[in-house]
Amino acid sequence: MLKADGLAAGKGVIIAQNAQEAEDAIRQIMDERVFGDAGRELVIEEFLPGREMSIHVITDGESYRLLPIAQDHKKLLDGDKGPNTGGMGAYAPAPFATPELIERVEREIVRPVLASLKKDAIDFRGILYIGLIWAESGPQILEFNVRGGDPETQVLLPLLKTPLVEILRAVTEKRLGALNIEFLDLYAVTVVVAAKGYPESPRIGDPVEGLEQEVSRTFTFHGGTALKGNKCLSSGGRVASPTAWGEDLAETQGRVYEKTAQIFLAGSYYRRDIADNRNL
Ligand code: GLY
């Protein structure tokens, strides 16, 4: 795994299948600077096969709560093929995240990390998003972020029963321990509609249409759009994330694709298999 060490909007990773590909990747990252200055230094890591999951911890520095476990789909193409992206779609809660698995993540990762922040006198309040792979040996951390995942946040927000503002207020006022955060007993699925040329060089400035058409229990998050006059134009790589929620994961997936198919953006692309792997 070859990673640009700086910030690359989740895209600075190349998985080399052999030594030649690894050398090419190093040249691209460090000489050609395909990820810009983020490629000034390189991180080389072992490839970890396993199931990827996104853990969102909300903490006020004293207490913490886990949000439902989400699964992101980072590769550009169906079947997890093609280059890595910031994320092409997600769903939550991941059915494979059993109470035992969650308990192990809390015991081995969440509690030690929060204790270590405290020990270092870092008064961290907010969202800690842990990207991990469940490898043969158990949970292996890929990254920590102090923000919500994109597109994971799009599937976590519709699952909150407790208003987000109440949670955030409790976090800033260190009252999280006394707040009972409730979640809806539903699934949510989001699909990213990406601009032509994403992730290398997304084309921007194209009209985005069909956003206003209604499909029940869906909502479209805007990621890379801008309003010009009364027209919605693309302004980034991951343009919009139609999101659906419902009691049944397969039915919810069907509705999110119904909504996605209504969005028109010339040359755009979206994966057709988000949440397909839920039962694997
Ligand atoms: N979905 C990956 C990220 O937000 O970094």
Side-chain angles (χ1 to χ4, degrees), residues 204-208 211 222-236 239:
I204 61 170
D206 291 312
V208 190
L211 290 162
H222 289 229
T225 63
L227 205 57
K228 200 159 189 200
N230 60 356
K231 272 204 156 139
C232 181
L233 302 182
S234 60
S235 65
V239 176

Side-chain angles (χ1 to χ4, degrees), residues 1-3 12-29 42-48 75 82-84:
M1 298 288 296
L2 297 131
K3 300 182 174 179
V13 178
I14 297 179
I15 305 171
Q17 304 297 333
N18 53 50
Q20 186 58 53
E21 282 188 23
E23 279 184 34
D24 291 347
I26 293 170
R27 247 189 304 275
Q28 285 171 27
I29 296 173
L42 192 71
V43 176
I44 302 178
E45 286 177 345
E46 174 195 3
F47 176 74
L48 289 166
K75 292 293 180 77
N84 249 29

Side-chain angles (χ1 to χ4, degrees), residues 10 54 72 74 86-87 129 143 145 147-152 238:
S54 303
D72 185 14
K74 289 224 172 55
Y129 148 38
E143 59 182 7
N145 296 285
R147 59 171 174 85
D150 178 9
E152 292 92 325
R238 289 186 293 166

Side-chain angles (χ1 to χ4, degrees), residues 21 34 58 101 134 157 190 205 215 247 261 263 268 270 279:
E21 282 188 23
V34 290
I58 186 147
L101 178 150
W134 202 276
L157 294 180
T190 193
V215 174
E247 286 77 15
I263 297 175
S268 63
Y270 60 87
N279 297 321

